[in-house]
Amino acid sequence: METASSFDEQDEFVAVAHIDELAPGSMKRFVVSDRALVLANIDGSFHAFEDRCLHWGVKLSNGCLEGNAVRCRAHGWKHDVVRGEIVASEPSGDEGRPVRTFKVIIRDRTVFVGGSIASPKANAAR
Ligand code: FES
C-alpha cells in the first residue's frame, strides 16, 4: 500500500501514480490523509473511489474490475465507479446508492486525485 503526502478536503490534488503504473483493467490502492482510496484504469481513463464496499465495508481494491464497475469479492455487489453508484446488490434493493468518487486529473503523465467528491449522488449522501 502506498501513502500519498497530504489530502485537502477542498480542491487540492495529490499525486498518486504515474500513468504507466496502471495498465487498463488494473487498480491501485493508496492512502491520503488516512482515507483509503483506489485508482482504476478503465479503458485508459482513470477513476478514483473509496476503498470500501457499501455492503459490509470490504476493500474494493481486492475486487474485480468488470467494465465500469468493481465487483466486491465478498458477496458480489457491483460498484459503478464512473457513474458513482451501486448497480448490483445481493439481495437486490441497494442499486442506485451513491459510491464516493473523487476528481482525477493527469499532468505530465502523473495522476492526481482531488479531495472534492465528483459524484453528485455521493455529495447528496454526505
Ligand atoms: S462486503 Fe462487499 S458485497 Fe458484501
Side-chain angles (χ1 to χ4, degrees):
M1 181 174 65
E2 195 164 308
T3 302
S5 55
S6 65
F7 197 62
D8 189 319
E9 287 294 329
Q10 301 306 311
D11 248 347
E12 191 169 316
F13 284 80
V14 175
V16 296
H18 189 273
I19 61 169
D20 294 334
E21 288 179 52
L22 264 84
S26 64
M27 300 189 288
K28 174 186 176 182
R29 183 177 200 262
F30 60 96
V31 174
V32 181
S33 295
D34 298 326
R35 178 179 290 168
L37 304 177
V38 183
L39 182 67
N41 180 339
I42 300 173
D43 296 329
S45 177
F46 290 86
H47 300 272
F49 50 95
E50 201 162 42
D51 191 13
R52 181 178 175 279
C53 177
L54 289 186
H55 185 211
W56 287 357
V58 169
K59 293 177 184 175
L60 289 177
S61 54
N62 291 333
C64 301
L65 259 180
E66 297 177 354
N68 291 345
V70 179
R71 183 171 53 83
C72 179
R73 282 204 185 274
H75 312 102
W77 282 33
K78 292 178 79 170
H79 303 63
D80 187 318
V81 298
V82 176
R83 290 172 26 199
E85 65 181 37
I86 296 293
V87 291
S89 63
E90 182 57 43
S92 62
D94 283 272
E95 289 77 7
R97 279 180 62 191
V99 174
R100 295 187 84 179
T101 58
F102 298 83
K103 292 180 181 175
V104 174
I105 58 173
I106 298 172
R107 287 210 182 105
D108 299 326
R109 302 183 65 77
T110 300
V111 183
F112 293 83
V113 172
S116 300
I117 296 167
S119 165
K121 284 193 160 199
N123 273 336
R126 289 181 82 185

